[in-house]
Amino acid sequence: MKGYRYLPDVATLTLDREKCTGCGLCATVCPHRIFVVEDGRARILDLDACMECGACALNCAWDAIEVHAGVGCASAIIGSWLRGGAAPSGGDRC
Amino acid sequence: MTGVLETAAGAVPRVATAPTWRDRIGGWRVRWGIRRDAYRVDPGLYAVGDPGPDSPVLVTANYKLTFDVVRSDLAGRDAWLLVLDTRGINVWCAAGKRTFSTDELVRWIDGIGLSQVVAHRRVVLPQLGATGVAAHVVRERTGFRVLWGPVRSADLPAFLDAGMKATPEMREVTFPAYDRLVLTPVEVLGTASYGWWVLLALFAISGLGPWVFSLGAVWHRGFAAVSVFIAATLAGGLVAPMLLPWLPGRAFSVKGAVSGLLVGIPVLALWDRPLDAATVAAVLLGLSALSSFVAMNFTGSTPYTSPSGVEREMRRSMPWQALAAAASVALWIGSAWIGKGGV
């Protein structure tokens, strides 16, 4: 995203190019424009810009994308720690 | 509401596209976090203008702030607005919580008989809803094709005029100064959940000194400590978000620590001199520790932080925040024995 970069080398996003059919929906729904379709297959351009929202994986009809999706929100993560490790889903304030 | 429109699937309420003063006050109120959870409209189908069987169907959330923005952006157009029940939460957050979801969309398409209202089989969804809605599953289950609309509803007119095509700019999230600013009141006020306990503790420790415990010191030094707490809350919850692109570091905890130091300098400049080293250190350490923590919580308000990244930053920074806060408290109590007690 223009003007902003978050921590590098941490995003859990993976793309299985063998399963990819190049439909391009991942590139359409990604709010950070990190995918590009080249030669009939998707490619990850900028992994460090991934915010793990999960839109691409949910909209991949061929299960080619995996990501530990969730909200990048400190208070939600504190809430999940207090509840004993349940996945953060956004607290009451989000 | 400005009347109803009769359709094959029953009467559909028609909405105004110009916000009233009540809508504006309501929008302002929820930005300050006042009864934000209860700011909702009834889910269901609404008419904008005078839509017919060929008019586009736009899907949105039932957070009233969202609903008001979308209908205002559609002024002068004919469209159907399908409002899902997201429990009064905006599209993106609701998609993350799975209330703006495939199941919810399918339920409403079937429930209201959308296929009787329109002749086409297309629904336009906000792009950020893709976190909760799988387009291919919606098509399998309802026959309706999901078209991904722009990220911002302000781009809807241009999107519709271009034959439902979004430009690359319409597909990318941004985070300009105004967007950061409107999110800060909820962030600053959010510290109230633990703030009262912190204030109580600050007054209590400010009473300690060579005099054992003094109510005069509670008053005098307590208010000084509280002013530092308020300054830290603003440093982390307002200054850090506004200076976000320019503060050093990628971690919000680092940005917040820096904004805490920046705010600490004028705070100390306002205090009576001479200031002893323990007092100066206590103020700067406490301010940057709390500001760092508050700024870290702003990650949830931004559109670019990943959960893996936030968790990594928290594990790295929280021990330092705790250490700095503990050192600050020790130095603050200690400063009561040095000189005239700092204030």
Side-chain angles (χ1 to χ4, degrees):
Chain A
M1 189 166 76
K2 286 180 198 75
Y4 300 93
R5 294 299 285 179
Y6 197 45
L7 307 190
D9 308 321
V10 70
T12 55
L13 179 75
T14 57
L15 166 68
D16 183 345
R17 297 204 11 139
E18 296 299 309
K19 291 184 183 170
C20 178
T21 62
C23 76
L25 251 157
C26 52
T28 300
V29 297
C30 175
H32 291 288
R33 324 308 303 140
I34 74 166
F35 292 96
V36 65
V37 179
E38 285 173 345
D39 308 324
R41 284 193 189 170
R43 186 166 72 83
I44 297 172
L45 275 180
D46 187 359
L47 182 62
D48 287 342
C50 175
M51 63 175 290
E52 303 179 318
C53 71
C56 54
L58 186 67
N59 277 282
C60 180
W62 291 271
D63 291 327
I65 301 174
E66 275 185 43
V67 60
H68 294 299
V71 288
C73 170
S75 45
I77 291 172
I78 292 173
S80 81
W81 286 349
L82 296 177
R83 286 193 309 273
S89 65
D92 300 332
R93 291 175 49 217
C94 302
Chain B
M1 301 304 132
T2 57
V4 292
L5 196 69
E6 291 300 331
T7 71
V12 175
R14 180 186 279 133
V15 293
T17 52
T20 64
W21 62 270
R22 279 191 62 183
D23 298 331
R24 291 176 201 278
I25 291 173
W28 183 85
R29 169 168 67 77
V30 294
R31 286 297 191 191
W32 285 88
I34 304 163
R35 290 189 290 121
R36 193 163 59 119
D37 297 344
Y39 204 52
R40 310 174 179 196
V41 294
D42 289 334
L45 190 66
Y46 293 84
V48 177
D50 195 19
D54 298 321
S55 300
V57 179
L58 310 175
V59 182
T60 191
N62 81 326
Y63 184 29
K64 189 168 180 301
L65 197 64
T66 305
F67 178 77
D68 286 353
V69 168
V70 173
R71 66 189 169 100
S72 302
D73 288 334
L74 292 172
R77 288 171 188 272
D78 301 322
W80 301 101
L81 204 52
L82 177 56
V83 178
L84 304 188
D85 184 4
T86 59
R87 325 268 153 85
I89 306 287
N90 70 75
V91 169
W92 208 5
C93 290
K97 291 169 191 281
R98 293 293 189 272
T99 50
F100 191 99
S101 65
T102 307
D103 286 345
E104 176 69 6
L105 178 59
V106 169
R107 189 165 78 84
W108 283 98
I109 288 175
D110 291 344
I112 60 170
L114 188 63
S115 55
Q116 293 168 264
V117 178
V118 291
H120 60 78
R121 292 292 174 267
R122 295 182 304 273
V123 284
V124 177
L125 265 68
Q127 186 190 322
L128 298 183
T131 292
V133 175
H136 57 283
V137 180
V138 174
R139 188 166 200 184
E140 277 166 26
R141 288 171 58 184
T142 66
F144 276 83
R145 193 153 73 91
V146 169
L147 298 180
W148 294 109
V151 166
R152 286 164 295 271
S153 98
D155 289 328
L156 271 175
F159 172 82
L160 294 171
D161 288 344
M164 306 223 189
K165 291 224 168 7
T167 63
E169 290 73 37
M170 290 183 199
R171 296 232 170 274
E172 183 162 13
V173 293
T174 54
F175 204 33
Y178 178 77
D179 289 4
R180 300 197 301 275
L181 180 67
V182 296
L183 297 171
T184 57
V186 164
E187 206 57 44
V188 171
L189 296 170
T191 57
S193 58
Y194 56 87
W196 300 111
W197 297 105
V198 176
L199 292 185
L200 211 64
L202 287 176
F203 274 116
I205 62 162
S206 297
L208 300 173
W211 46 78
V212 184
F213 193 84
S214 145
L215 282 177
V218 168
W219 178 258
H220 202 59
R221 287 167 52 75
F223 272 103
V226 166
S227 70
V228 170
F229 173 76
I230 292 168
T233 305
L234 292 174
L238 176 65
V239 177
M242 292 322 294
L243 300 182
L244 204 58
W246 304 286
L247 286 168
R250 290 186 177 184
F252 282 58
S253 46
V254 174
K255 291 174 184 286
V258 173
S259 71
L261 291 176
L262 289 178
V263 169
I265 292 160
V267 165
L268 285 171
L270 288 172
W271 285 14
D272 294 341
R273 258 151 289 219
L275 292 167
D276 56 83
T279 303
V280 171
V283 168
L284 292 180
L285 278 173
L287 235 162
S288 59
L290 183 61
S291 174
S292 169
F293 181 77
V294 174
M296 200 174 68
N297 278 291
F298 192 68
T299 49
S301 295
T302 74
Y304 72 101
T305 55
S306 61
S308 300
V310 175
E311 186 156 352
R312 173 180 288 181
E313 123 158 45
M314 289 170 74
R315 289 188 189 283
R316 285 182 182 173
S317 64
M318 285 175 83
W320 292 103
Q321 290 165 352
L323 205 65
S328 170
V329 167
L331 285 162
W332 182 246
I333 295 172
S335 71
W337 273 267
I338 305 167
K340 61 189 193 73
V343 192

